[in-house]
């Protein structure tokens, strides 16, 4: 049985951790498969959005601690910048297209970091986010200490990182950690629908704006402004803006309808 499953629903690629018997904990082999699966998604011109989920009603319980105890730890944590291979696989990648996490059950420890790596998070009722690795002395080395403060603010991030306490879907939504809350068992359905909404927009503009938002964290204000202009000019050169203006002039979009 494969460690991951890959499926398609129109423009949406669905990448699933398939280790329900281990609560979708990620060992070395699974991390490598996830890394290459997301690179393949990014290179696939027919796929606009990826949905990232786990099998068996569980997103991901983090790194496979049994595998780490068996000797994988020295093979998993290596230095590297953006786009390098990470301990959980894809969490250092900066893709050109968005990824949505569909969370059922637990997204904890390294699984929380995988969820943080995604652009958006749909959490089902009854699901739990948490830095549970706090309990076992396992560090956050998949960008968790970077992404969590950026997403929800330093003070709230400290609360979650220092205590390791569980966070339910509604508290996560109030924090801005979750973007949508779905009924239990429906996170994947809602995430795919959201992915299709995003895929329906002009893609060059959406991707350039998204990339500018990601890259601005690396830059001072002046450089971030120049970078935003660079991406904006690329969008204008693509012809999408002129096409959109023509559609608007012809009546599309009136009364807020898209």
């Amino acid at each position: 049985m494969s460690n991951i499953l890959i499926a398609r629903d129109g423009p949406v690629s669905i990448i699933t951790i398939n280790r329900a018997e281990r609560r979708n904990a990620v060992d070395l082999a699974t991390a490598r498969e996830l890394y290459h699966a997301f690179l393949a998604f990014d290179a696939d011109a027919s796929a606009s959005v990826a949905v990232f989920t786990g099998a068996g009603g569980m997103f991901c319980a983090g790194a496979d601690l049994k595998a780490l105890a068996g000797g994988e730890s020295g093979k998993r944590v290596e230095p590297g910048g953006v786009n390098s291979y990470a301990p959980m696989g894809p969490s250092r990648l900066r893709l050109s297209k968005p990824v949505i996490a569909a969370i059922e059950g637990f997204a904890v420890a390294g699984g929380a970091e995988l969820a943080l790596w995604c652009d958006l998070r749909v959490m089902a009722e009854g699901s739990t986010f948490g830095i549970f690795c706090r309990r076992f002395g396992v560090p956050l080395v998949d960008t968790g200490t970077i992404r969590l403060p950026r997403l929800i603010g330093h003070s709230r991030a400290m609360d979650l990182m220092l205590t390791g306490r569980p966070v339910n879907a509604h508290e996560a939504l109030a924090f801005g950690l979750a973007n949508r809350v779905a009924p239990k068992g429906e996170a994947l359905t809602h995430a795919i629908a959201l992915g299709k909404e995003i895929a329906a927009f002009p893609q060059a503009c959406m991707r350039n704006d998204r990339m500018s938002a990601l890259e601005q964290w690396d830059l001072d204000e002046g450089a971030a402004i120049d970078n935003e202009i660079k991406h904006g000019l690329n969008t204008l050169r693509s012809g999408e803006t002129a096409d959109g203006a023509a559609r608007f002039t012809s009546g599309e979009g009136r009364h807020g309808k898209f």
Side-chain angles (χ1 to χ4, degrees):
M1 184 180 295
S2 174
N3 290 315
I4 67 169
L5 302 173
I6 301 173
R8 282 292 290 272
D9 189 337
V12 178
S13 288
I14 304 160
I15 299 174
T16 304
I17 305 173
N18 188 38
R19 303 187 81 221
E21 76 285 356
R22 290 292 186 93
R23 303 177 69 161
N24 295 324
V26 173
D27 63 359
L28 182 61
T30 306
R32 287 174 173 164
E33 288 182 51
L34 287 171
Y35 178 81
H36 290 292
F38 279 105
L39 284 178
F41 152 71
D42 208 42
D44 184 352
S46 68
S48 297
V49 179
V51 169
F52 188 14
T53 193
M58 175 76 62
F59 182 72
C60 177
D64 188 332
L65 295 187
K66 291 183 179 179
L68 291 180
E72 278 192 2
S73 59
K75 303 173 184 177
R76 295 282 290 274
V77 182
E78 299 175 1
V82 172
N83 291 324
S84 66
Y85 172 75
M88 293 290 288
S91 57
R92 294 175 187 161
L93 290 176
R94 180 174 283 175
L95 303 182
S96 67
K97 297 181 282 192
V99 180
I100 303 170
I103 300 170
E104 300 277 353
F106 287 88
V108 297
E113 293 184 283
L114 289 177
L116 292 170
W117 169 70
C118 298
D119 295 272
L120 301 172
R121 284 150 293 282
V122 177
M123 289 184 69
E125 295 269 6
S127 61
T128 300
F129 177 94
I131 310 301
F132 285 11
C133 49
R134 183 60 56 241
R135 307 170 184 181
F136 302 104
V138 178
L140 295 172
V141 287
D142 279 82
T143 69
T145 65
I146 302 163
R147 297 183 190 280
L148 189 60
R150 289 181 177 184
L151 280 172
I152 66 174
H154 188 81
S155 180
R156 282 175 169 162
M158 287 296 104
D159 177 14
L160 303 192
M161 287 195 295
L162 298 183
T163 69
R165 68 178 181 84
V167 176
N168 65 35
H170 289 284
E171 185 179 10
L173 183 67
F175 275 3
L177 180 59
N179 301 93
R180 306 282 193 280
V181 174
K184 186 174 182 179
E186 296 184 21
L188 180 58
T189 300
H190 283 246
I192 291 171
L194 180 57
K196 289 181 177 179
E197 286 181 22
I198 294 170
F201 289 116
Q203 292 295 290
C205 183
M206 182 274 293
R207 293 176 193 174
N208 282 324
D209 284 354
R210 172 185 172 275
M211 191 57 68
S212 178
L214 291 173
E215 290 175 347
Q216 60 87 20
W217 291 106
D218 308 333
L219 306 170
D220 62 33
E221 183 178 15
I225 290 169
D226 290 343
N227 191 56
E228 181 183 65
I229 291 170
K230 180 191 77 172
H231 285 293
L233 288 172
N234 287 338
T235 298
L236 292 171
R237 293 187 191 105
S238 75
E240 279 189 356
T241 306
D243 176 67
R247 288 188 286 113
F248 177 81
T249 301
S250 68
E252 184 176 331
R254 289 179 182 170
H255 310 295
K257 185 177 181 181
F258 173 72

